[in-house]
Amino acid sequence: LGGNPHAARSKEMEKVRLQEIVREFSKEAMTGIGVKLINAETSELYDTTLLMDKYLCTLTLRLSGGAERRYNMKDLNSIYKGPDFTQKVPNLAHFSPNCVGVEFSGVEEPKTLFHFKDAVQRDQFYTCLKILRMSVDINHARIAARGGASAG
């Protein structure tokens, strides 16, 4: 069962790096992260502030006019980029390298499309949202395991 010690160390370093990125994202999200939304029909970009509560259970998008859209993280049922983005939003295919789409169940406007200045920012946002979404499930499972199934 030899295994490659360099690969294991590299994997551990990547895990630590990811945790740090997610921790930083979470901290910033509590005070507000400036993001851009893109309109699927017009390709117009809108400056928006993404906020999350301290439990990372609620995501709020505060639009520049002051209007807010609130989403429950456990209702986030799809996060996509790249070819998946192109397939779901074909008229924005040319923006695909810089976009992330998210879909929430049980809301009036289920699809929200984010636009980033480059693929690095896009991938970081995608990864952080994916991990935060998984952590919601993990926390709910922990609560249920403790017998507090009424939470949430």
Side-chain angles (χ1 to χ4, degrees), residues 61-80:
L61 294 174
R62 186 174 295 146
L63 309 171
S64 54
E68 286 189 353
R69 284 194 258 165
R70 285 181 193 274
Y71 303 98
N72 197 323
M73 282 299 283
K74 69 179 193 309
D75 295 333
L76 177 56
N77 58 13
S78 184
I79 306 171
Y80 46 90

Side-chain angles (χ1 to χ4, degrees), residues 34-101:
V35 294
K36 289 192 183 299
L37 298 184
I38 186 166
N39 182 304
E41 279 79 50
T42 66
S43 304
E44 245 182 290
L45 295 175
Y46 300 94
D47 286 323
T48 305
T49 303
L50 180 147
L51 294 150
M52 294 191 80
D53 67 330
K54 68 179 180 180
Y55 303 109
L56 305 173
C57 294
T58 305
L59 184 146
T60 302
L61 294 174
R62 186 174 295 146
L63 309 171
S64 54
E68 286 189 353
R69 284 194 258 165
R70 285 181 193 274
Y71 303 98
N72 197 323
M73 282 299 283
K74 69 179 193 309
D75 295 333
L76 177 56
N77 58 13
S78 184
I79 306 171
Y80 46 90
K81 64 177 184 169
D84 294 332
F85 184 91
T86 302
Q87 185 183 357
K88 288 180 180 259
V89 197
N91 52 328
L92 291 181
H94 56 296
F95 286 109
S96 172
N98 293 20
C99 291
V100 171

